Amino acid sequence: RVFEGLVGQTAVISALESAITAARENSTGQEMTHAWLFTGPPGSGRSNAAKAFAAALICKNSGCGECDDCRTAFLGTHPDVEILDVNGISIKIDEIREVVSRSAWGASLSKWRVVIIEDCDRMTEAAANALLKALEEPSSQTIWLLCAPTLQDVLPTIRSRCRHLNLKTPTASEIGRAHV
């Protein structure tokens, strides 16, 4: 399963599994939403949680962890998963505009097009405002997964449009049990 690598994140995994079930059943409840914000300190696994969630959303088996969809989602090579990884000091408006433009394409092989923005706290203010427009008027097929160290690192207008999941640093005993 795709969530097995998320050590010490029981509550986060439970929320994500509920969202996947709701998405598969086309539930009208609050479990699934178009935008998620994963926060947590370095080493908590926030980017790994976002990638696992992306894999589970596009996998025909709800995140088996073994199929091509799961493997390519984790690698960022699946056509329906885009991972924006920061190469420079900041994420500039042109980068966000390109991602927002591609997000409108919709999914090609699965139900969802998933966009992961690692280190979204490094967006310039102009870039954040460009993203905000996409979050305010979401595509029916696009899921946004944003990652940042803390809630305070993200503009309040973006935070208010995302479902927040806070990851914690796993304890030494949790890490030990996971590697047995």
Side-chain angles (χ1 to χ4, degrees):
R1 307 284 309 156
V2 293
F3 298 121
E4 287 177 5
L6 301 179
V7 178
Q9 308 300 340
T10 308
V12 169
I13 293 169
S14 177
L16 295 175
E17 287 176 337
S18 293
I20 292 161
T21 300
R24 297 262 182 254
E25 296 173 355
N26 293 318
S27 170
T28 57
Q30 299 293 316
E31 295 90 359
M32 186 59 189
T33 186
H34 72 287
W36 297 75
L37 176 57
F38 295 83
T39 62
S44 62
R46 61 182 181 260
S47 291
N48 291 337
K51 290 175 185 174
F53 189 37
L57 285 169
I58 63 163
C59 176
K60 291 157 190 68
N61 298 312
S62 301
C64 68
E66 298 174 3
C67 68
D68 283 339
D69 286 336
C70 286
R71 283 193 295 275
T72 56
F74 271 106
L75 295 171
T77 58
H78 192 283
D80 293 334
V81 177
E82 181 164 352
I83 301 173
L84 180 62
D85 191 7
V86 183
N87 293 324
I89 294 172
S90 63
I91 302 173
K92 300 193 179 6
I93 189 169
D94 292 339
E95 294 172 281
I96 293 297
R97 283 181 177 154
E98 286 178 30
V99 169
V100 168
S101 176
R102 287 191 300 272
S103 74
W105 295 346
S108 59
L109 299 176
S110 63
K111 181 177 180 180
W112 307 106
R113 178 161 181 78
V114 184
V115 180
I116 301 171
I117 302 179
E118 296 180 335
D119 301 316
C120 77
D121 54 302
R122 293 169 59 184
M123 286 187 289
T124 63
E125 187 173 342
N129 286 327
L131 175 62
L132 180 60
K133 181 84 169 150
L135 297 179
E136 288 175 334
E137 299 171 8
S139 161
S140 63
Q141 285 189 313
T142 303
I143 306 294
W144 293 90
L145 308 180
L146 313 178
C147 303
T150 70
L151 270 176
Q152 291 70 33
D153 293 324
V154 181
L155 286 178
T157 51
I158 290 180
R159 288 194 314 244
S160 69
R161 284 150 181 87
C162 298
R163 180 166 177 195
H164 176 235
L165 294 176
N166 187 46
L167 286 81
K168 63 182 182 78
T169 303
T171 65
S173 63
E174 288 170 329
I175 293 169
R177 283 194 304 271
H179 292 100
V180 172

